[in-house]
Amino acid sequence: MALNLKESRQQATNAGKLSNTDVVFTSLCAGAIAGALAKTTIAPLDRTKINFQISATKAYSTRKALKFIVKTLKTEGFFALWRGNSATMARIVPYAAIQFTAHEQWKRILGVDPTGKSPGKQFLAGSLAGVTSQTLTYPLDFARARMAVTHKNDYSTLRHVFLKIYKTEGLLTFYRGILPTILGVIPYAGVSFFTYETLKRWYKEHVDSNLKTNPFTSLGFGAIAGMLGQTSSYPFDIVRRRMQTDTTKKYGNISGTLRTIYV
């Protein structure tokens, strides 16, 4: 969905030759809207995923995931499945907006060839966009993870999360897990943007040369790009979540977290 809106914005840019200022503004808007819609749609599944990521004893299965969802519905109510989504929105709106804008600007700075003759630069532009947006919004991602895995009595609001963690764990706690996050976002964003742009270009060259790609085709390309990007960075995602939700300092660094999880 996010990449599809990005394509619509690119088509408008090509047709009207927008200035760089206009490109920045439209990228910010498209990224913010797409990110908010996408994350809200999958919020229950995302919370379920995090629940299994941070557990040292729960092995994932579809049956157990469904059981977790049903248990949450019965004990906490329907909207508990979206617990932490306010923090997600507070993060994903600026995150997606910055990422889309940064991607366009990094492509311009690096001189990415739109015909696909500079795949290395194309991958690098995506990776740098991910690093830029993740670094600027990381404390919000940290707060969202804490809310997703705790009871509402522990952290009732996003403001409560920040105040309680600041008082009990210190300011630097908000950046716990940022290194594996950055290491993970490099392949994730790079692979996602590179795959989507490559598929879109291949489609126009071999299937349909129309300027406007079918929305369902774009959605399919976005799904493939997201799947490959997530797969390439998933081990870092697990490390990140373990470090973010750790209140006992069991997961102090990347190597120690990896040993605890996999050894």
Side-chain angles (χ1 to χ4, degrees):
M1 182 182 293
L3 292 174
N4 194 13
L5 282 180
K6 181 181 181 226
E7 181 185 11
S8 297
R9 200 263 320 139
Q10 286 179 327
Q11 291 165 356
T13 300
N14 294 334
K17 298 297 181 182
L18 298 178
S19 66
N20 189 57
T21 301
D22 291 332
V23 170
V24 170
F25 178 75
T26 53
S27 295
L28 284 170
C29 292
I33 295 170
L37 291 174
K39 281 297 184 179
T40 299
T41 302
I42 66 168
L45 296 177
D46 203 32
R47 186 184 177 191
T48 303
K49 179 194 74 171
I50 294 174
N51 178 70
F52 284 96
Q53 284 181 326
I54 67 168
S55 175
T57 59
K58 296 178 183 177
Y60 173 82
S61 71
T62 303
R63 181 180 178 182
K64 290 181 179 179
L66 291 174
K67 186 176 180 180
F68 171 80
I69 293 174
V70 172
K71 181 180 178 182
T72 301
L73 286 171
K74 290 181 178 179
T75 59
E76 299 182 54
F78 177 76
F79 290 105
L81 292 172
W82 277 265
R83 176 167 166 72
N85 197 51
S86 59
T88 299
M89 291 299 100
R91 171 195 172 252
I92 201 61
V93 169
Y95 173 84
I98 292 169
Q99 185 180 51
F100 275 63
T101 305
H103 184 235
E104 292 301 314
Q105 297 308 306
W106 280 117
K107 287 199 300 183
R108 182 176 61 84
I109 293 170
L110 295 172
V112 175
D113 191 329
T115 63
K117 295 180 180 178
S118 54
K121 290 182 178 180
Q122 189 174 354
F123 180 90
L124 182 59
S127 295
L128 289 172
V131 170
T132 302
S133 55
Q134 190 72 66
T135 302
L136 293 176
T137 61
Y138 186 76
L140 291 167
D141 183 47
F142 181 92
R144 185 260 168 179
R146 282 290 180 92
M147 288 188 74
V149 299
T150 56
H151 193 274
K152 61 183 178 181
N153 292 332
D154 294 325
Y155 300 110
S156 57
T157 64
L158 182 60
R159 179 174 176 272
H160 187 201
V161 176
F162 279 104
L163 289 176
K164 185 173 181 179
I165 292 177
Y166 174 72
K167 290 179 180 179
T168 60
E169 300 179 55
L171 183 63
L172 292 180
T173 301
F174 290 109
Y175 288 90
R176 183 186 298 160
I178 192 171
L179 183 56
T181 300
I182 296 301
L183 292 175
V185 82
I186 290 173
Y188 172 75
V191 170
S192 295
F193 279 112
F194 177 81
T195 301
Y196 181 78
E197 298 285 351
T198 300
L199 288 173
K200 186 176 68 174
R201 185 172 57 252
W202 178 89
Y203 181 83
K204 289 184 177 181
E205 290 176 355
H206 298 89
V207 180
D208 188 349
S209 60
N210 289 332
L211 179 63
K212 187 175 181 180
T213 305
N214 183 288
F216 291 103
T217 302
S218 297
L219 184 64
F221 292 163
I224 294 171
M227 179 183 66
L228 293 177
Q230 186 69 61
T231 301
S232 68
S233 64
Y234 196 72
F236 288 110
D237 195 38
I238 294 177
V239 173
R240 164 175 76 131
R241 293 305 187 194
R242 290 287 180 94
M243 294 180 71
Q244 285 178 334
T245 56
D246 176 31
T247 59
T248 62
K249 297 185 179 180
K250 179 181 180 181
Y251 305 107
N253 53 58
I254 296 177
S255 60
T257 302
L258 287 171
R259 284 196 298 270
T260 302
I261 295 173
Y262 296 110
V263 177

